[in-house]
Amino acid sequence: MTSPRAARRHGQARDREGTEESLRAAAIALLRRGGVLAGLNLRQVADEAGVNRGLVYQYFGSRRALLRSALFHRSRLNAEDAVDAAGLPLRERLSRLFWTSLRNPEPVRLAALLVLDGDDRPRALLNRGADREDLAAEAAAGRLPVEDVEAVQAAIASTICGYTLLREHLAREIGMPAEELDARMARCVEAMFTGRAP
């Protein structure tokens, strides 16, 4: 039987988790509405989440810590997909990383904000070690357009992250629906890094 004190602690932990998630969601909603240059005011985050303003500081302490936490929680799907894709042929890995990034772009946006803010913790290479090993095997088999594995790894991350960030803007600038550009870009990424058109 659970003591009343233990039950209260368990309820408080659940409440804290819910409050933290509400604050992360509020921060992201405010960034979506106001844009990066509008800044992220922690009082507005608390108001948006419907919680006491002091909880933002108590749970996170700073704007950067809140964004880091949101990045960590929002990037799980992308990181899990990168791990699951390890060992697949390069063409399939590229496709999975590209489409996962487009389906869940929030981690890319948050990482970019943190990097622009001077934070060196965000990781653009979600599965760096295993991905590097897979690319080294591709290079050894002559299936990469260049043999510089680190540069290829950086180029893949830059291309996918850059497109994810600029997708809608690029589609408007080019004058085509984003979904059509996505399909064309996926083929282009595959051709760039496998040396073969799909």
Side-chain angles (χ1 to χ4, degrees):
M1 182 168 188
T2 305
S3 72
R5 177 184 245 171
R8 273 196 309 276
R9 276 197 309 265
H10 180 70
Q12 289 170 342
R14 236 187 8 247
D15 289 347
R16 179 178 175 139
E17 288 171 15
T19 301
E20 286 179 353
E21 180 52 32
S22 294
L23 290 166
R24 287 188 286 265
I28 290 169
L30 286 169
L31 286 170
R32 278 188 197 136
R33 280 201 309 266
V36 178
L37 297 179
L40 186 63
N41 180 307
L42 293 183
R43 278 178 267 141
Q44 289 176 319
V45 171
D47 292 345
E48 176 84 11
V51 301
N52 180 304
R53 293 175 184 176
L55 291 177
V56 181
Y57 297 97
Q58 180 182 341
Y59 292 167
F60 298 104
S62 71
R63 176 179 143 308
R64 186 181 281 183
L66 173 58
L67 288 176
R68 265 194 216 122
S69 180
L71 172 61
F72 174 77
H73 286 274
R74 296 297 194 278
S75 66
R76 285 183 184 163
L77 171 69
N78 297 33
E80 288 169 5
D81 200 54
V83 169
D84 289 345
L88 291 175
L90 181 58
R91 183 175 288 202
E92 291 175 45
R93 275 198 329 274
L94 286 169
S95 179
R96 284 189 57 175
L97 295 173
F98 180 80
W99 292 109
T100 298
S101 184
L102 291 187
R103 281 192 304 272
N104 188 25
E106 215 68 66
V108 174
R109 292 182 185 133
L110 289 170
L113 288 174
L114 286 164
V115 168
L116 290 171
D117 198 42
D119 194 334
D120 62 356
R121 292 187 193 179
R123 297 289 168 247
L125 306 173
L126 295 177
N127 192 22
R128 189 174 157 278
D131 193 40
R132 188 189 182 296
E133 290 171 15
D134 290 344
L135 287 172
E138 296 280 349
R143 291 189 295 261
L144 285 182
V146 294
E147 292 182 17
D148 188 342
V149 172
E150 288 83 8
V152 171
Q153 193 175 28
I156 289 170
S158 299
T159 301
I160 292 174
C161 291
Y163 181 71
T164 300
L165 286 170
L166 297 173
R167 173 186 182 256
E168 292 174 21
H169 181 83
L170 289 168
R172 278 192 307 274
E173 194 171 320
I174 293 169
M176 73 173 59
E179 296 75 20
E180 180 183 338
L181 184 56
D182 293 345
R184 292 170 66 175
M185 184 67 181
R187 290 190 301 272
C188 184
V189 167
E190 189 176 313
M192 284 173 19
F193 295 109
T194 64
R196 306 183 294 275

